[in-house]
Amino acid sequence: MEKHHVEVLYDEKTVADRIREMGEQITKDYAGKDIHLVCVLKGGSFFMVELAKRIDLNVSIDFMSVSSYGGDTKSSGVVKIVKDLDDSIAGKHVLVVEDIIDSGRTLSYLLQMLKDRNPASLKLCTLLDKPSRRVVDVDVDYTGYEIPDTFVVGYGLDYDQVYRNLPYIGHVVFD
Ligand code: IMP
Ligand code: MG
């Protein structure tokens, strides 16, 4: 890791409030339905757990892991399934929960793959979005925050596998 420090971008309470709002919106939008959250590991896990607690519906969860990044801050463009879902999503209202959308490569690949498994519906929820970095077009249904092109950590997001446990969203400043 290069020499750096982390500055707070969105503090713990701010993030908690935003996730509560997102949960309330999702609860309204899916009224009368059961919702199946698909978490993209590892980064999406912290967000998904908090979001799930703010959705007032029958919620089931599953996890999958795809990799598009090495130990660097730049996308390699390679997407591979490291761990697939445990359960079928056929006929379910699936909401994919991601930590961040950057180039969009990971999500566009993943969404196409999930669509082929015939869910009743398929939507995407992300805590953070960097629209200026988009290489592949992706429809995002729920976004916590749109951020500029800066490298962020915390709340599940890592820099070389560190900082996922920060209870706030920070950005990395290279000294
Ligand atoms: P995409 O395919 O370029 O959209 O890659 C998205 C993935 O890249 C995310 O799920 C993260 O794992 C990682 N990523 C992108 N930007 C950041 C960042 O600012 N901090 C930490 N991880 C990031
Ligand atoms: Mg991720």
Side-chain angles (χ1 to χ4, degrees), residues 68-69 98-106 130 150-152 157-158:
S68 65
Y69 278 70
E98 250 289 29
D99 49 0
I100 190 164
I101 304 176
D102 187 52
S103 72
R105 284 191 184 97
T106 315
K130 293 188 207 172
T150 167
F151 198 77
V152 288
L157 290 150
D158 72 298

Side-chain angles (χ1 to χ4, degrees), residues 66-160:
V66 296
S67 71
S68 65
Y69 278 70
D72 201 346
T73 58
K74 276 187 286 165
S75 175
S76 63
V78 179
V79 178
K80 113 174 170 244
I81 297 184
V82 179
K83 181 216 173 295
D84 205 341
L85 297 171
D86 289 337
D87 305 315
S88 165
I89 58 167
K92 294 180 184 168
H93 293 286
V94 174
L95 181 62
V96 175
V97 181
E98 250 289 29
D99 49 0
I100 190 164
I101 304 176
D102 187 52
S103 72
R105 284 191 184 97
T106 315
L107 261 294
S108 83
Y109 175 88
L110 191 73
L111 289 173
Q112 189 52 56
M113 195 194 75
L114 295 178
K115 207 177 284 174
D116 293 341
R117 299 183 186 185
N118 300 313
S121 68
L122 181 62
K123 285 190 176 185
L124 173 60
C125 178
T126 187
L127 180 58
L128 299 166
D129 189 4
K130 293 188 207 172
S132 68
R133 295 262 307 162
R134 203 71 92 249
V135 174
V136 182
D137 205 34
V138 178
D139 283 338
V140 189
D141 300 284
Y142 303 97
T143 304
Y145 301 101
E146 287 195 355
I147 59 168
D149 182 10
T150 167
F151 198 77
V152 288
V153 292
Y155 233 94
L157 290 150
D158 72 298
Y159 175 34
D160 272 357

